[in-house]
């Protein structure tokens, strides 16, 4: 049970919410996901929303040309300003 001032253990399942976007095209789904993430309002905890938005803004990902080494090969994905919002 959550309450104001509660301390969250590092062993707690951190999944707060899940977003699934669907469209007739991959690009359309990416755009819908970016907009959904842009409109999220989560307070009190850090999220990976800025990271996911960086991924969505990467031309290789947007074109569907990535593999399992994509994140390892793009360390800049982990650098972001939490207040920054960019559009696809």
């Amino acid at each position: 049970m959550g309450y104001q001032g509660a301390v969250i253990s590092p062993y707690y399942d951190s999944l707060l919410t899940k977003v699934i976007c669907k469209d007739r095209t991959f690009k359309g789904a990416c755009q819908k996901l970016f907009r959904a993430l842009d409109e999220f309002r989560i307070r009190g905890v850090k999220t990976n929303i800025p990271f996911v938005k960086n991924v969505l803004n990467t031309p290789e990902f947007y074109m569907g040309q990535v593999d399992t080494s994509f994140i390892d090969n793009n360390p800049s994905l982990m650098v972001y300003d939490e207040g920054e919002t960019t559009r696809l």
Side-chain angles (χ1 to χ4, degrees):
M1 174 170 244
Y3 55 89
Q4 187 172 358
V7 177
I8 299 174
S9 159
Y11 306 107
Y12 182 77
D13 181 0
S14 61
L15 180 65
L16 295 173
T17 187
K18 184 177 189 177
V19 179
I20 299 173
C21 291
K22 182 178 177 181
D23 193 83
R24 293 176 55 204
T25 66
F26 180 71
K27 291 178 186 180
C30 287
Q31 290 170 335
K32 286 181 178 181
L33 178 56
F34 192 93
R35 180 175 176 178
L37 294 174
D38 209 28
E39 294 177 4
F40 257 70
R41 298 297 175 254
I42 299 175
R43 294 181 182 101
V45 294
K46 287 189 174 199
T47 70
N48 69 341
I49 290 173
F51 166 75
V52 175
K53 288 168 74 174
N54 278 351
V55 170
L56 290 169
N57 274 325
T58 305
E60 296 88 359
F61 183 84
Y62 193 67
M63 298 301 293
Q65 300 172 341
V66 298
D67 58 27
T68 56
S69 62
F70 173 68
I71 294 173
D72 286 338
N73 293 336
N74 292 281
S76 63
L77 295 172
M78 303 298 283
V79 179
Y80 48 82
D81 175 9
E82 296 200 27
E84 181 179 322
T85 300
T86 55
R87 289 260 176 216
L88 280 174

